[in-house]
Amino acid sequence: MRKILTVLLIVFIAIQFIRPAKNTHAVIESKKVTSLFETPRNVNNLLEVSCKDCHSNNTAYPWYNKIQPVMWFLTRHVNEGKKHLNFDEYGDYNVSRQYHKMEEIVEVLNEDEMPYILYFYA
C-alpha cells in the first residue's frame, strides 16, 4: 500500500509540470459582440460575470487552476465553450450564424443549461 501511495504521489508531482497554454489572446474590439450591438449595462455585466471566461479569448482563471489535473479540465472546458460560441470573435460569424447563436443563447438560458446569474442583474 505504501508503494502505491508513493507512486501516486510521484505521478501527482510530475503532472504539475505539464501545463496547457492559458486562454489569453489579443482581442479586436470591433469583432466583440458588445461592439457590434448596443447592449444594456446589465447585459454587459452578465456577459462579464457569467459568460466571458468560457466564451471569450481571455479567461480569468481561479486560484486552483494551478493544480493539475484541474487546469487540464478547465482548458478543455474553455476550448469547448469557445468552439460553440466566442463573444470576442462574434463579428467573424456570418449574419445567419450570428442569428442562430442568439437563438441558441436564448434556448440554453431558458433551459438552465448554462450557469448564469441573471437574477442579480434583472
Side-chain angles (χ1 to χ4, degrees):
M1 183 64 159
R2 189 175 182 116
K3 287 182 181 182
I4 293 173
L5 290 176
T6 303
V7 169
L8 289 175
L9 180 63
I10 291 170
V11 168
F12 179 75
I13 292 170
I15 67 172
Q16 301 310 306
F17 297 99
I18 305 169
R19 301 197 171 268
K22 288 188 174 187
N23 180 39
T24 53
H25 306 286
V27 175
I28 300 171
E29 286 295 319
S30 62
K31 292 182 180 185
K32 290 175 67 169
V33 71
T34 53
S35 296
L36 294 169
F37 302 101
E38 186 176 333
T39 52
R41 188 165 65 186
N42 64 335
V43 173
N44 283 334
N45 290 342
L46 175 65
L47 291 173
E48 190 71 25
V49 170
S50 301
C51 307
K52 81 165 186 105
D53 284 336
C54 297
H55 295 285
S56 77
N57 288 335
N58 290 291
T59 299
Y61 290 94
W63 65 268
Y64 51 85
N65 81 306
K66 293 176 175 44
I67 302 168
Q68 301 303 352
V70 173
M71 188 165 185
W72 297 339
F73 170 78
L74 290 175
T75 299
R76 183 173 177 271
H77 183 75
V78 168
N79 289 340
E80 190 70 22
K82 284 175 53 178
K83 183 173 81 174
H84 290 286
L85 174 64
N86 187 336
F87 287 117
D88 287 344
E89 297 176 5
Y90 199 81
D92 287 341
Y93 300 164
N94 64 44
V95 175
S96 174
R97 185 171 183 208
Q98 287 179 359
Y99 181 77
H100 180 69
K101 289 299 175 186
M102 287 295 174
E103 288 177 327
E104 286 181 338
I105 290 168
V106 170
E107 181 181 321
V108 163
L109 291 177
N110 284 337
E111 295 177 4
D112 290 331
E113 293 178 13
M114 285 285 115
Y116 71 102
I117 313 173
L118 185 59
Y119 52 87
F120 285 124
Y121 298 102

